[in-house]
């Protein structure tokens, strides 16, 4: 069995339990006329008949066991009353999510035929929030069929609303091997809106995008974006493409102390290339060297190395690591223990990072390594966080008895 694919499918199954089954027979309709027709009118009237609260929305459901078409549609139309955070292009906290969750606990959706009909009707609804919900529903258990992908791409061709475009990126992020999807997402990577570019960075920096022509070039451009959130997302996902060309770009960011806030994203990208937790399939000596060079760098400060980077590879898959170590010949436990000991003993380093270093030593080193470190830290003078580090060492020694 391919463990990596099985792991991804397991995650997708968990997410899909609450997902809406989504098919397109055709796109149909238009944004101006999307709400016309008796069935949509009935759903809109039902929605308007209750307060826009969790309790009010739940009270629309009078059926038993299975939602009626009108109830199902009304719960989707309720998104039209929500608000969007214009900075993140995400829905603000709203009663619709909670109401739908409550209803899902007691009711099934209508038949697939009814669900299809409703979603086809609402694909071009006048409200961008409703359109966005429908577009995101294109995701299914193990991807979507080509007909569904094309229907969404056709709809997005003339879409101007940023929320809907963002929903489209999210919905199609695992479909980059489709030329049309790749073209759409590559284009959005150049969108003027930084939230759109961030979503594009996440879609491109995705293991499903590995091997897609132009993906590495696009992620490198995003690593150098003018917005730090975009840069961070691109750095974090870059390693999933399995292309060592990103390493030099990540090192440039790591060499810049002003970018310390996203150094953890860079180390995440590098670690995916050389450590690849939890799969332990990829190997890259160049990425390993870049990671350790960053952690070895002195003088250390409270910001560099970023404390969240120090523990980036302290957790491993016990079943996979031994076989991986046979091919990852660059992986040197003694070197890692030496680097981590240096960080843990460094009074100038962030104490949270120092504690993570102790945890890494406990994973890859020996009791003797911890005892040696303990003596070093005990002799430190002017170490304001000495007690924090010694307590962590003591904790690990207790477990090592």
């Amino acid at each position: 069995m391919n463990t990596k694919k099985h792991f991804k499918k397991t995650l997708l199954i968990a997410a899909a339990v609450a997902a809406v089954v989504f098919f397109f027979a055709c796109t149909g309709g238009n944004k101006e006329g999307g709400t016309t027709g008796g069935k949509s009118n009935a759903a809109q009237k039902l929605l308007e008949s209750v307060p826009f609260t969790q309790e009010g929305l739940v009270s629309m459901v009078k059926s038993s066991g299975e939602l009626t078409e009108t109830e199902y549609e009304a719960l989707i139309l309720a998104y039209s009353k929500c608000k969007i955070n214009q900075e993140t292009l995400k829905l603000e906290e709203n009663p619709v999510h909670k109401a739908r969750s409550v209803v899902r606990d007691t009711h099934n959706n209508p038949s697939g035929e009814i669900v299809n009909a409703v979603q086809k009707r609402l694909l071009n609804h006048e409200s961008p929030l409703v359109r966005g919900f429908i577009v995101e529903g294109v995701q299914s258990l193990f991807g979507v069929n080509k007909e569904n992908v094309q229907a969404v791409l056709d709809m997005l061709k003339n879409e101007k609303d940023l929320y809907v475009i963002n929903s489209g990126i999210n919905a199609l992020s695992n479909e980059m091997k489709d030329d049309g999807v790749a073209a759409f997402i590559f284009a959005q990577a150049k969108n003027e809106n930084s939230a759109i570019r961030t979503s594009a960075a996440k879609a491109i920096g995705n293991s499903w995008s590995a091997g897609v022509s132009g993906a590495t070039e696009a992620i490198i451009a995003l690593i150098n974006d003018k917005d730090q959130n975009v840069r961070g997302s691109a750095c974090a996902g870059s390693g999933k493409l399995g292309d060592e060309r990103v390493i030099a770009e990540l090192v440039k960011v790591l060499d810049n102390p002003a970018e310390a806030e996203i150094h953890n994203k860079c180390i995440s990208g590098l670690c995916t290339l050389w450590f690849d937790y939890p799969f332990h399939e990829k190997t890259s000596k160049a990425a390993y060297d870049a990671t350790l060079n960053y952690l070895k760098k002195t003088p250390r400060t409270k910001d560099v190395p970023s404390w969240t980077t120090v523990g980036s590879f302290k957790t491993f898959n016990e079943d996979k690591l031994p076989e991986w170590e046979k091919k990852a010949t660059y992986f040197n436990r003694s070197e890692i223990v030496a680097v981590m000991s240096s960080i843990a003993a460094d009074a100038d380093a962030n104490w949270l990072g120092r504690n993570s270093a102790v945890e890494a030593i406990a994973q890859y080193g020996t009791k003797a390594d911890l005892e040696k470190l303990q003596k070093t830290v005990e002799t430190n003078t002017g170490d304001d966080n000495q007690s924090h580090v010694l307590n962590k060492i003591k904790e690990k020694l207790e477990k090592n008895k």
Side-chain angles (χ1 to χ4, degrees):
M1 177 181 289
N2 186 314
T3 304
K4 188 169 186 179
K5 289 183 179 178
H6 177 68
F7 182 84
K8 289 179 180 177
K9 288 182 180 179
T10 301
L11 293 179
L12 287 168
I13 289 169
V17 169
V20 178
V21 177
F22 185 80
F23 297 98
F24 285 112
C26 59
T27 55
N30 57 67
K31 292 174 187 175
E32 289 70 32
T35 59
T36 60
K39 292 178 180 176
S40 286
N41 286 342
Q44 189 67 40
K45 287 179 181 177
L46 176 59
L47 175 61
E48 298 299 339
S49 71
V50 300
F52 187 61
T53 63
Q54 176 183 331
E55 294 76 14
L57 294 171
V58 172
S59 74
M60 294 191 302
V61 178
K62 306 296 185 184
S63 60
S64 176
E66 182 177 292
L67 294 172
T68 67
E69 180 171 355
T70 299
E71 291 167 345
Y72 173 74
E73 186 166 356
L75 284 168
I76 296 176
L77 291 174
Y79 282 110
S80 65
K81 294 177 173 287
C82 297
K83 293 182 179 179
I84 299 170
N85 181 314
Q86 294 300 326
E87 183 176 343
T88 63
L89 297 181
K90 297 183 183 297
L91 288 177
E92 294 183 352
E93 187 173 353
N94 65 81
V96 185
H97 286 333
K98 295 175 181 177
R100 294 184 74 247
S101 178
V102 169
V103 171
R104 275 198 299 266
D105 287 339
T106 57
H107 287 70
N108 295 321
N109 283 335
S111 68
E113 183 180 354
I114 291 175
V115 168
N116 297 344
V118 171
Q119 300 217 0
K120 183 178 70 173
R121 270 201 307 274
L122 299 183
L123 178 60
N124 290 286
H125 190 272
E126 60 193 359
S127 167
L129 289 90
V130 173
R131 296 200 303 276
F133 174 84
I134 299 299
V135 166
E136 290 219 27
V138 74
Q139 297 177 85
S140 63
L141 195 56
F142 301 125
V144 295
N145 64 45
K146 194 169 183 67
E147 181 183 359
N148 295 352
V149 168
Q150 192 57 51
V152 173
L153 288 174
D154 289 343
M155 176 264 192
L156 290 170
K157 281 180 183 177
N158 299 314
E159 182 60 63
K160 304 298 181 185
D161 186 88
L162 294 176
Y163 174 73
V164 182
I165 292 172
N166 200 50
S167 296
I169 296 171
N170 294 335
L172 300 174
S173 61
N174 290 347
E175 306 300 326
M176 286 281 290
K177 286 182 167 56
D178 180 284
D179 291 342
V181 172
F184 166 69
I185 293 179
F186 285 152
Q188 298 312 319
K190 300 176 182 178
N191 194 295
E192 292 182 2
N193 184 279
S194 61
I196 294 287
R197 297 199 306 278
T198 297
S199 292
K202 292 176 180 178
I204 297 167
N206 180 335
S207 57
W208 295 95
S209 302
V212 172
S213 178
T216 298
E217 291 79 4
I219 209 71
I220 287 174
L222 290 163
I223 289 172
N224 291 282
D225 193 270
K226 61 184 179 181
D227 184 272
Q228 191 177 66
N229 287 332
V230 177
R231 294 197 299 276
S233 293
C235 290
S238 61
K240 295 177 183 178
L241 297 178
D243 190 329
E244 289 188 333
R245 285 182 292 168
V246 304
I247 295 173
E249 302 302 320
L250 295 174
V251 169
K252 287 178 189 176
V253 180
L254 290 171
D255 284 341
N256 183 358
E259 291 278 56
E261 192 171 335
I262 61 170
H263 281 183
N264 64 321
K265 307 290 188 182
C266 295
I267 294 298
S268 178
L270 289 172
C271 285
T272 299
L273 280 170
W274 72 261
F275 193 59
D276 196 22
Y277 173 80
F279 311 111
H280 300 309
E281 293 178 357
K282 295 185 182 71
T283 59
S284 170
K285 183 180 185 303
Y288 172 82
D289 289 341
T291 301
L292 264 61
N293 287 341
Y294 171 73
L295 295 172
K296 290 176 182 177
K297 196 178 304 181
T298 57
R300 298 186 178 95
T301 69
K302 294 297 180 289
D303 298 319
V304 179
S306 171
W307 74 268
T308 54
T309 66
V310 180
S312 294
F313 47 93
K314 68 183 180 184
T315 302
F316 54 80
N317 184 330
E318 293 181 359
D319 295 330
K320 294 283 187 179
L321 192 71
E323 196 62 32
W324 172 82
E325 283 190 81
K326 291 178 182 178
K327 60 181 180 179
T329 54
Y330 52 81
F331 186 69
N332 186 324
R333 288 177 179 244
S334 296
E335 181 180 24
I336 289 171
V337 169
V339 173
M340 293 301 163
S341 296
S342 174
I343 294 172
D346 193 334
D348 292 327
N350 188 300
W351 74 268
L352 291 168
R354 295 171 67 187
N355 276 5
S356 287
V358 173
E359 292 174 346
I361 295 168
Q363 286 283 59
Y364 295 113
T366 64
K367 182 179 179 181
D369 292 322
L370 288 170
E371 290 173 337
K372 180 180 178 182
L373 174 63
Q374 184 179 42
K375 291 178 182 178
T376 301
V377 176
E378 285 174 342
T379 61
N380 279 356
T381 58
D383 185 350
D384 294 336
N385 294 301
Q386 183 184 59
S387 62
H388 292 304
V389 181
L390 287 175
N391 286 340
K392 179 60 71 173
I393 295 172
K394 182 179 179 181
E395 173 193 320
K396 294 301 176 183
L397 283 172
E398 286 291 327
K399 291 183 178 179
N400 210 328
K401 283 183 178 179

